[in-house]
Amino acid sequence: GRFLTVHGMVNVVLHNSLLDARPFAVNGQETPKPSYAKERFSVQIGGPLMMPHLFRLSTTTFNFNYTVNRSDNLSTQVGAVPTLAERAGDFSLANNIVYDPTTHQPFPGNRIPADVLSQNTIALGLLKYFPLPNQTGSCSASLAGGCGAQNFQFTTTVPNNNQSVGLRIGQSFGRRDRLALNFQAQDRSGVSPQIFGFLDHSEGRGISTSLSWTHTFAPRVFNIASVNFNRNRSNALPFFSNGADVATALGIQGTSGNPLNYGPPNLTFTNFAGLTDGSASLTRVQSTGFHEAFTWMRGKHSLSFGGLYQRNQNNIKTDSNGRGTFSFTGLSSSGFDASGQPLPGTGFDFADFLLGLPNSDSIRFGDTTTYFRSANYSFFGQDDWRMLPNLTLNFGLRYEYFGVP
């Protein structure tokens, strides 16, 4: 019975999609239901540090915990994608009239001729990254000025896992001193789906440690000094990273040559879902701090004085737009009046794409990596004055300095 002060707990949570409903059908059409599940397991044990029949340290306490989460999460995304006819330049069902930007006249039958399409090999090469509709509806046949037909739905399950471990140890030295060590670590990984089926991976890990010393000068006078260290690392790897150099193969110039930035450019549209993928990044954040607080409880007053010093590191390695971004709005295939203003009911964003005429484009790489260092410190003094049993007045003064990276 003398070892009953050691206590523990085990927790298991299981969840399965067997009895869950199907994903919501935007157009009333039945969608497939992927299977998914979640599991959580945790164990915790704590008490005096000892080994049965060998030793028992009554002045040393510990608490250990371990938690693991495994989950396959359901993800459903809906949007509009071009039909087979629209991919071939046939906008005869569109409410908007498509103009030839070279002649400033409408294309006959609202169809871009094949010989005109064949001149833009980049657009033709990017078509393979657009999925075909899997729901009924056509963006061209929807109301002018916006696409109301969500003719594509992407449903999948993606894993997201993490595990953490923690250990706290407390050690008393006589009646006046006590040390407390705290260590926490976490490991995580996950997948983020894009609407066109691209799966971006991410992983990370972090640790947090602290050591504190409490010294009691008198029954109501004590000091707490602590040091802590924290570090967190996150890595994001897009679907196309380290794959084919799409830009070079299609003849897109000026993009990043880093294999982490390989892949098709980001394409945004007014009426359709965009062709997008994440950006590769590596983030490392670290801090080291020292803290001290002296407390003196005198009568109805609780006086505290102390300070803090913290050194920070923020390291980010990324190219925020290394593949480039092209935006298509339908302006290039619009008709214009005598004053140069676009005519209502003219122009179509996907026609601009097939013609290779973006409304805007941007790219950025090579200058977005940062290694910031900064130091912060603060000093404080405060008094908690218990004026009445039901009234406490708190006042003090604090000075803080935040260093510029």
Side-chain angles (χ1 to χ4, degrees):
R2 58 197 179 112
F3 298 127
L4 293 180
T5 52
V6 175
H7 56 276
M9 180 181 67
V10 176
N11 183 37
V12 179
V13 178
L14 303 176
H15 175 240
N16 193 275
S17 62
L18 181 63
L19 300 179
D20 290 354
R22 290 182 178 274
F24 177 73
V26 176
N27 294 328
Q29 304 174 59
E30 187 173 290
T31 57
K33 174 189 171 183
S35 61
Y36 52 92
K38 298 179 182 180
E39 300 89 29
R40 175 184 173 90
F41 170 80
S42 64
V43 59
Q44 180 176 324
I45 185 172
L49 187 61
M50 63 155 198
M51 184 68 68
H53 308 296
L54 293 179
F55 69 89
R56 175 185 174 93
L57 303 177
S58 59
T59 60
T60 305
T61 60
F62 79 99
N63 183 281
F64 172 82
N65 63 82
Y66 174 73
T67 302
V68 58
N69 292 280
R70 298 284 183 265
S71 63
D72 291 317
N73 298 321
L74 178 66
S75 173
T76 300
Q77 302 181 63
V78 295
V81 295
T83 63
L84 280 172
E86 292 161 352
R87 294 160 71 106
D90 183 353
F91 301 99
S92 57
L93 296 179
N95 295 287
N96 284 16
I97 300 174
V98 178
Y99 276 68
D100 185 342
T102 60
T103 64
H104 307 293
Q105 297 297 319
F107 282 111
N110 227 25
R111 296 179 176 90
I112 302 176
D115 60 327
V116 176
L117 293 178
S118 63
Q119 299 175 18
N120 185 14
T121 57
I122 294 178
L124 295 178
L126 290 173
L127 281 177
K128 66 180 181 180
Y129 298 105
F130 289 83
L132 293 173
N134 57 15
Q135 307 285 306
T136 59
S138 169
C139 196
S140 295
S142 63
L143 297 176
C147 179
Q150 306 294 312
N151 62 358
F152 179 75
Q153 181 167 340
F154 175 59
T155 301
T156 187
T157 57
V158 291
N160 280 280
N161 306 316
N162 67 78
Q163 59 182 343
S164 61
V165 61
L167 176 64
R168 296 198 304 270
I169 297 178
Q171 174 66 57
S172 296
F173 298 92
R175 301 181 61 180
R176 293 183 176 272
D177 296 282
R178 180 173 179 81
L179 288 178
L181 173 66
N182 184 25
F183 174 82
Q184 304 287 331
Q186 184 198 58
D187 184 85
R188 59 192 181 275
S189 63
V191 173
S192 299
Q194 307 291 343
I195 188 172
F196 286 178
F198 313 139
L199 302 178
D200 297 341
H201 292 259
S202 63
E203 56 87 18
R205 58 187 55 89
I207 61 171
S208 175
T209 62
S210 65
L211 177 65
S212 66
W213 169 39
T214 302
H215 177 73
T216 303
F217 296 94
R220 297 169 64 87
V221 183
F222 58 90
N223 184 82
I224 300 177
S226 63
V227 57
N228 62 76
F229 174 81
N230 302 285
R231 181 176 175 85
N232 191 69
R233 180 184 184 275
S234 299
N235 185 33
L237 193 65
F239 178 80
F240 292 100
S241 289
N242 299 315
D245 187 356
V246 177
T248 300
L250 294 179
I252 303 175
Q253 300 180 356
T255 60
S256 169
N258 188 333
L260 290 174
N261 297 324
Y262 283 174
N266 294 318
L267 307 176
T268 65
F269 299 89
T270 302
N271 295 311
F272 296 96
L275 170 62
T276 60
D277 195 17
S279 298
S281 66
L282 175 61
T283 303
R284 291 160 294 178
V285 179
Q286 178 177 306
S287 67
T288 304
F290 304 90
H291 178 267
E292 179 151 7
F294 175 81
T295 301
W296 181 19
M297 303 173 68
R298 179 178 175 85
K300 296 182 178 182
H301 296 268
S302 179
L303 304 170
S304 297
F305 308 92
L308 168 70
Y309 174 82
Q310 184 168 296
R311 179 70 178 175
N312 302 310
Q313 296 184 18
N314 193 350
N315 308 313
I316 302 176
K317 186 177 182 181
T318 185
D319 288 322
S320 58
N321 192 16
R323 297 187 305 274
T325 299
F326 298 91
S327 298
F328 299 92
T329 62
L331 181 65
S332 297
S333 57
S334 296
F336 295 89
D337 59 22
S339 61
Q341 298 299 315
L343 297 172
T346 66
F348 204 69
D349 54 353
F350 201 74
D352 287 8
F353 166 72
L354 294 176
L355 294 170
L357 299 173
N359 180 250
S360 64
D361 59 83
S362 62
I363 193 167
R364 183 179 181 184
F365 63 90
D367 65 340
T368 52
T369 297
T370 58
Y371 298 93
F372 291 136
R373 303 290 185 270
S374 64
N376 309 330
Y377 59 84
S378 62
F379 305 97
F380 73 92
Q382 69 179 45
D383 180 17
D384 293 333
W385 180 16
R386 188 178 182 184
M387 301 177 64
L388 299 171
N390 61 350
L391 177 62
T392 300
L393 180 64
N394 178 280
F395 58 93
L397 181 66
R398 184 180 184 91
Y399 172 81
E400 295 182 339
Y401 171 82
F402 297 94
V404 179

